[in-house]
């Protein structure tokens, strides 16, 4: 009898299925891939899922203090690769190697404390990040489309080309 276990699937993938996305180095060798977001704050796109309205990215911070106050209408998943951070609204700290789930409806204020030279966290963010004042009034927002726009503008500027971001979009 023929051993079937090592035979690849013999049919085409569904034609509606998008191509897979494989990124060998999540922390990029080329620093230009980090997109500046504020002074000493960058993000590194991994999957910009325009078709479903979410994005996967690394957030890198090299400063201490308050980064943003924001509300999540949809869930966020985070994995701390380096450093640590916390929210003013909670008494826990997200530490290197840790995982965090942020529930829909949460409003919180992200802080990196003194003594953290660099923080890098993988975030999967669904829908929208609403930037708010202490009463919850919306001051601005980010979604997968504003992320794509930031990437495109930055990659054009640093010479990678406007199309460089396309590889991350699904
Ligand atoms: Fe958050």
């Amino acid at each position: 009898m023929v051993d079937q276990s090592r035979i690849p699937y013999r049919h085409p993938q569904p034609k509606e299925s998008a191509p897979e996305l494989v990124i060998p180095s999540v922390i990029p060798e080329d620093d230009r891939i980090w997109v500046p977001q504020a002074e000493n704050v960058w993000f590194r796109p991994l999957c910009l899922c325009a078709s479903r309205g979410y994005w996967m990215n690394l957030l890198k911070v090299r400063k201490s203090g308050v980064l943003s106050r924001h509300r999540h209408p949809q869930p966020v998943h985070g994995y701390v690769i380096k450093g640590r951070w916390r929210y003013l609204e909670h008494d826990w700290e997200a530490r290197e190697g840790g995982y965090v789930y942020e529930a829909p409806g949460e409003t919180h204020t992200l802080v990196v404390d003194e003594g953290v030279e660099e923080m890098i966290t993988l975030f999967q963010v669904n829908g929208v990040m609403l930037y708010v004042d202490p009463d919850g009034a919306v001051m601005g927002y980010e979604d997968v489309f504003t992320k794509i726009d930031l990437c495109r503008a930055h990659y054009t500027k640093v010479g990678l080309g406007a199309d460089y971001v396309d590889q991350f979009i699904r």
Side-chain angles (χ1 to χ4, degrees), residues 66-73 107-109 128-143 146:
V66 169
L67 276 125
S68 77
R69 185 188 308 100
H70 55 264
R71 180 179 176 112
H72 298 294
T107 301
H108 45 218
T109 312
V128 65
M129 295 259 293
L130 296 171
Y131 295 102
V132 300
D133 77 4
D135 295 310
V138 177
M139 327 281 285
Y141 73 94
E142 283 194 296
D143 62 16
T146 64

mmCIF file of all heavy atoms in Angstrom, residues 66-73 107-109 128-143 146:
data_model
loop_
_atom_site.group_PDB
_atom_site.id
_atom_site.type_symbol
_atom_site.label_atom_id
_atom_site.label_comp_id
_atom_site.label_asym_id
_atom_site.label_seq_id
_atom_site.Cartn_x
_atom_site.Cartn_y
_atom_site.Cartn_z
ATOM 1 N N VAL A 66 3.755 58.718 28.262
ATOM 2 C CA VAL A 66 2.457 58.324 27.710
ATOM 3 C C VAL A 66 2.536 58.307 26.188
ATOM 4 O O VAL A 66 3.018 59.253 25.569
ATOM 5 C CB VAL A 66 1.358 59.305 28.176
ATOM 6 C CG1 VAL A 66 0.064 59.058 27.398
ATOM 7 C CG2 VAL A 66 1.093 59.155 29.671
ATOM 8 N N LEU A 67 2.098 57.213 25.602
ATOM 9 C CA LEU A 67 2.094 57.102 24.136
ATOM 10 C C LEU A 67 0.775 57.522 23.539
ATOM 11 O O LEU A 67 0.728 58.272 22.574
ATOM 12 C CB LEU A 67 2.421 55.674 23.735
ATOM 13 C CG LEU A 67 3.927 55.512 23.716
ATOM 14 C CD1 LEU A 67 4.380 54.397 24.576
ATOM 15 C CD2 LEU A 67 4.385 55.375 22.301
ATOM 16 N N SER A 68 -0.317 56.982 24.075
ATOM 17 C CA SER A 68 -1.633 57.369 23.565
ATOM 18 C C SER A 68 -2.718 56.878 24.506
ATOM 19 O O SER A 68 -2.521 55.918 25.250
ATOM 20 C CB SER A 68 -1.876 56.772 22.169
ATOM 21 O OG SER A 68 -2.202 55.399 22.267
ATOM 22 N N ARG A 69 -3.861 57.570 24.443
ATOM 23 C CA ARG A 69 -5.068 57.089 25.118
ATOM 24 C C ARG A 69 -6.017 56.709 23.989
ATOM 25 O O ARG A 69 -6.241 57.489 23.063
ATOM 26 C CB ARG A 69 -5.674 58.186 25.977
ATOM 27 C CG ARG A 69 -6.860 57.710 26.808
ATOM 28 C CD ARG A 69 -7.568 58.851 27.520
ATOM 29 N NE ARG A 69 -6.641 59.684 28.286
ATOM 30 C CZ ARG A 69 -6.160 60.854 27.857
ATOM 31 N NH1 ARG A 69 -6.515 61.338 26.675
ATOM 32 N NH2 ARG A 69 -5.335 61.559 28.597
ATOM 33 N N HIS A 70 -6.540 55.487 24.059
ATOM 34 C CA HIS A 70 -7.356 55.032 22.925
ATOM 35 C C HIS A 70 -8.434 54.041 23.336
ATOM 36 O O HIS A 70 -8.342 53.419 24.401
ATOM 37 C CB HIS A 70 -6.455 54.422 21.841
ATOM 38 C CG HIS A 70 -5.584 53.310 22.350
ATOM 39 N ND1 HIS A 70 -4.286 53.501 22.752
ATOM 40 C CD2 HIS A 70 -5.839 51.998 22.527
ATOM 41 C CE1 HIS A 70 -3.775 52.344 23.155
ATOM 42 N NE2 HIS A 70 -4.704 51.414 23.037
ATOM 43 N N ARG A 71 -9.433 53.955 22.489
ATOM 44 C CA ARG A 71 -10.531 53.016 22.697
ATOM 45 C C ARG A 71 -10.504 51.969 21.593
ATOM 46 O O ARG A 71 -10.210 52.288 20.443
ATOM 47 C CB ARG A 71 -11.872 53.753 22.652
ATOM 48 C CG ARG A 71 -13.072 52.829 22.869
ATOM 49 C CD ARG A 71 -14.389 53.599 22.830
ATOM 50 N NE ARG A 71 -15.514 52.680 22.951
ATOM 51 C CZ ARG A 71 -16.322 52.618 24.008
ATOM 52 N NH1 ARG A 71 -16.151 53.442 25.015
ATOM 53 N NH2 ARG A 71 -17.312 51.741 24.039
ATOM 54 N N HIS A 72 -10.821 50.714 21.985
ATOM 55 C CA HIS A 72 -10.900 49.618 21.015
ATOM 56 C C HIS A 72 -12.339 49.131 20.879
ATOM 57 O O HIS A 72 -12.831 48.460 21.775
ATOM 58 C CB HIS A 72 -10.053 48.423 21.473
ATOM 59 C CG HIS A 72 -8.602 48.715 21.595
ATOM 60 N ND1 HIS A 72 -7.816 49.016 20.510
ATOM 61 C CD2 HIS A 72 -7.780 48.739 22.669
ATOM 62 C CE1 HIS A 72 -6.573 49.208 20.926
ATOM 63 N NE2 HIS A 72 -6.523 49.062 22.224
ATOM 64 N N PRO A 73 -13.006 49.441 19.781
ATOM 65 C CA PRO A 73 -14.332 48.855 19.567
ATOM 66 C C PRO A 73 -14.267 47.353 19.303
ATOM 67 O O PRO A 73 -15.251 46.651 19.475
ATOM 68 C CB PRO A 73 -14.851 49.586 18.322
ATOM 69 C CG PRO A 73 -13.997 50.810 18.190
ATOM 70 C CD PRO A 73 -12.658 50.423 18.747
ATOM 71 N N THR A 107 -11.070 51.339 26.982
ATOM 72 C CA THR A 107 -10.353 52.593 26.729
ATOM 73 C C THR A 107 -9.189 52.629 27.706
ATOM 74 O O THR A 107 -9.387 52.389 28.909
ATOM 75 C CB THR A 107 -11.260 53.815 26.971
ATOM 76 O OG1 THR A 107 -12.391 53.731 26.108
ATOM 77 C CG2 THR A 107 -10.510 55.118 26.679
ATOM 78 N N HIS A 108 -7.981 52.880 27.197
ATOM 79 C CA HIS A 108 -6.832 52.863 28.108
ATOM 80 C C HIS A 108 -5.694 53.730 27.576
ATOM 81 O O HIS A 108 -5.674 54.132 26.418
ATOM 82 C CB HIS A 108 -6.378 51.425 28.400
ATOM 83 C CG HIS A 108 -6.291 50.542 27.196
ATOM 84 N ND1 HIS A 108 -6.654 49.217 27.218
ATOM 85 C CD2 HIS A 108 -5.884 50.792 25.936
ATOM 86 C CE1 HIS A 108 -6.460 48.695 26.020
ATOM 87 N NE2 HIS A 108 -5.980 49.625 25.217
ATOM 88 N N THR A 109 -4.754 53.991 28.479
ATOM 89 C CA THR A 109 -3.675 54.946 28.215
ATOM 90 C C THR A 109 -2.349 54.213 28.318
ATOM 91 O O THR A 109 -1.980 53.723 29.391
ATOM 92 C CB THR A 109 -3.745 56.089 29.254
ATOM 93 O OG1 THR A 109 -5.098 56.554 29.329
ATOM 94 C CG2 THR A 109 -2.820 57.234 28.885
ATOM 95 N N VAL A 128 -10.602 49.485 14.280
ATOM 96 C CA VAL A 128 -10.124 50.850 14.416
ATOM 97 C C VAL A 128 -9.559 51.090 15.816
ATOM 98 O O VAL A 128 -9.965 50.446 16.786
ATOM 99 C CB VAL A 128 -11.285 51.834 14.077
ATOM 100 C CG1 VAL A 128 -12.411 51.704 15.082
ATOM 101 C CG2 VAL A 128 -10.825 53.260 13.981
ATOM 102 N N MET A 129 -8.571 51.961 15.886
ATOM 103 C CA MET A 129 -8.092 52.514 17.151
ATOM 104 C C MET A 129 -8.641 53.926 17.205
ATOM 105 O O MET A 129 -8.356 54.725 16.309
ATOM 106 C CB MET A 129 -6.570 52.678 17.167
ATOM 107 C CG MET A 129 -5.769 51.427 17.101
ATOM 108 S SD MET A 129 -5.140 50.924 18.709
ATOM 109 C CE MET A 129 -3.962 52.207 19.109
ATOM 110 N N LEU A 130 -9.416 54.219 18.245
ATOM 111 C CA LEU A 130 -9.954 55.577 18.396
ATOM 112 C C LEU A 130 -9.130 56.305 19.440
ATOM 113 O O LEU A 130 -9.052 55.863 20.596
ATOM 114 C CB LEU A 130 -11.414 55.513 18.849
ATOM 115 C CG LEU A 130 -12.403 54.872 17.875
ATOM 116 C CD1 LEU A 130 -13.764 54.684 18.548
ATOM 117 C CD2 LEU A 130 -12.540 55.698 16.605
ATOM 118 N N TYR A 131 -8.512 57.398 19.054
ATOM 119 C CA TYR A 131 -7.735 58.194 20.019
ATOM 120 C C TYR A 131 -8.685 59.165 20.702
ATOM 121 O O TYR A 131 -9.447 59.866 20.032
ATOM 122 C CB TYR A 131 -6.582 58.886 19.293
ATOM 123 C CG TYR A 131 -5.610 57.870 18.755
ATOM 124 C CD1 TYR A 131 -5.615 57.519 17.413
ATOM 125 C CD2 TYR A 131 -4.741 57.204 19.617
ATOM 126 C CE1 TYR A 131 -4.758 56.537 16.923
ATOM 127 C CE2 TYR A 131 -3.881 56.225 19.147
ATOM 128 C CZ TYR A 131 -3.893 55.902 17.799
ATOM 129 O OH TYR A 131 -3.053 54.918 17.340
ATOM 130 N N VAL A 132 -8.651 59.148 22.038
ATOM 131 C CA VAL A 132 -9.669 59.875 22.798
ATOM 132 C C VAL A 132 -9.059 60.751 23.892
ATOM 133 O O VAL A 132 -7.924 60.537 24.315
ATOM 134 C CB VAL A 132 -10.690 58.893 23.446
ATOM 135 C CG1 VAL A 132 -11.396 58.068 22.377
ATOM 136 C CG2 VAL A 132 -10.020 57.983 24.471
ATOM 137 N N ASP A 133 -9.866 61.697 24.347
ATOM 138 C CA ASP A 133 -9.470 62.494 25.513
ATOM 139 C C ASP A 133 -9.897 61.747 26.789
ATOM 140 O O ASP A 133 -10.499 60.670 26.698
ATOM 141 C CB ASP A 133 -10.021 63.926 25.388
ATOM 142 C CG ASP A 133 -11.514 64.030 25.705
ATOM 143 O OD1 ASP A 133 -12.129 63.013 26.097
ATOM 144 O OD2 ASP A 133 -12.063 65.139 25.563
ATOM 145 N N PRO A 134 -9.589 62.273 27.975
ATOM 146 C CA PRO A 134 -9.895 61.508 29.207
ATOM 147 C C PRO A 134 -11.381 61.232 29.402
ATOM 148 O O PRO A 134 -11.759 60.359 30.196
ATOM 149 C CB PRO A 134 -9.352 62.413 30.322
ATOM 150 C CG PRO A 134 -8.330 63.266 29.664
ATOM 151 C CD PRO A 134 -8.791 63.484 28.266
ATOM 152 N N ASP A 135 -12.242 61.950 28.686
ATOM 153 C CA ASP A 135 -13.684 61.696 28.770
ATOM 154 C C ASP A 135 -14.181 60.791 27.654
ATOM 155 O O ASP A 135 -15.387 60.517 27.560
ATOM 156 C CB ASP A 135 -14.445 63.024 28.740
ATOM 157 C CG ASP A 135 -14.140 63.856 29.973
ATOM 158 O OD1 ASP A 135 -14.229 63.305 31.089
ATOM 159 O OD2 ASP A 135 -13.777 65.044 29.816
ATOM 160 N N GLY A 136 -13.278 60.374 26.790
ATOM 161 C CA GLY A 136 -13.673 59.453 25.725
ATOM 162 C C GLY A 136 -14.049 60.134 24.422
ATOM 163 O O GLY A 136 -14.441 59.452 23.467
ATOM 164 N N ALA A 137 -13.956 61.463 24.379
ATOM 165 C CA ALA A 137 -14.275 62.165 23.126
ATOM 166 C C ALA A 137 -13.198 61.831 22.087
ATOM 167 O O ALA A 137 -12.002 61.858 22.386
ATOM 168 C CB ALA A 137 -14.346 63.666 23.359
ATOM 169 N N VAL A 138 -13.634 61.500 20.905
ATOM 170 C CA VAL A 138 -12.718 61.030 19.861
ATOM 171 C C VAL A 138 -11.940 62.188 19.246
ATOM 172 O O VAL A 138 -12.515 63.187 18.820
ATOM 173 C CB VAL A 138 -13.500 60.258 18.764
ATOM 174 C CG1 VAL A 138 -12.560 59.830 17.642
ATOM 175 C CG2 VAL A 138 -14.210 59.049 19.363
ATOM 176 N N MET A 139 -10.602 62.039 19.269
ATOM 177 C CA MET A 139 -9.723 63.063 18.693
ATOM 178 C C MET A 139 -9.180 62.638 17.332
ATOM 179 O O MET A 139 -8.707 63.471 16.578
ATOM 180 C CB MET A 139 -8.516 63.305 19.614
ATOM 181 C CG MET A 139 -8.780 63.164 21.097
ATOM 182 S SD MET A 139 -9.582 64.605 21.764
ATOM 183 C CE MET A 139 -8.194 65.728 21.797
ATOM 184 N N GLY A 140 -9.181 61.357 17.077
ATOM 185 C CA GLY A 140 -8.624 60.860 15.821
ATOM 186 C C GLY A 140 -8.756 59.347 15.778
ATOM 187 O O GLY A 140 -9.247 58.737 16.735
ATOM 188 N N TYR A 141 -8.330 58.761 14.690
ATOM 189 C CA TYR A 141 -8.450 57.305 14.567
ATOM 190 C C TYR A 141 -7.360 56.765 13.665
ATOM 191 O O TYR A 141 -6.719 57.506 12.916
ATOM 192 C CB TYR A 141 -9.823 56.902 13.999
ATOM 193 C CG TYR A 141 -9.964 57.204 12.521
ATOM 194 C CD1 TYR A 141 -9.677 56.221 11.563
ATOM 195 C CD2 TYR A 141 -10.348 58.462 12.073
ATOM 196 C CE1 TYR A 141 -9.768 56.499 10.208
ATOM 197 C CE2 TYR A 141 -10.443 58.743 10.720
ATOM 198 C CZ TYR A 141 -10.155 57.750 9.785
ATOM 199 O OH TYR A 141 -10.230 58.025 8.444
ATOM 200 N N GLU A 142 -7.160 55.449 13.754
ATOM 201 C CA GLU A 142 -6.326 54.728 12.794
ATOM 202 C C GLU A 142 -7.074 53.465 12.404
ATOM 203 O O GLU A 142 -7.727 52.838 13.239
ATOM 204 C CB GLU A 142 -5.004 54.298 13.432
ATOM 205 C CG GLU A 142 -3.993 55.391 13.579
ATOM 206 C CD GLU A 142 -2.613 54.824 13.892
ATOM 207 O OE1 GLU A 142 -2.467 54.205 14.963
ATOM 208 O OE2 GLU A 142 -1.716 54.992 13.058
ATOM 209 N N ASP A 143 -6.961 53.109 11.142
ATOM 210 C CA ASP A 143 -7.468 51.812 10.702
ATOM 211 C C ASP A 143 -6.472 51.242 9.701
ATOM 212 O O ASP A 143 -5.411 51.839 9.463
ATOM 213 C CB ASP A 143 -8.900 51.909 10.148
ATOM 214 C CG ASP A 143 -9.020 52.799 8.923
ATOM 215 O OD1 ASP A 143 -7.982 53.123 8.296
ATOM 216 O OD2 ASP A 143 -10.159 53.169 8.571
ATOM 217 N N THR A 146 -5.438 53.802 7.022
ATOM 218 C CA THR A 146 -4.515 54.883 7.381
ATOM 219 C C THR A 146 -3.106 54.300 7.584
ATOM 220 O O THR A 146 -2.111 54.960 7.292
ATOM 221 C CB THR A 146 -4.968 55.643 8.648
ATOM 222 O OG1 THR A 146 -4.956 54.765 9.775
ATOM 223 C CG2 THR A 146 -6.364 56.227 8.485
#
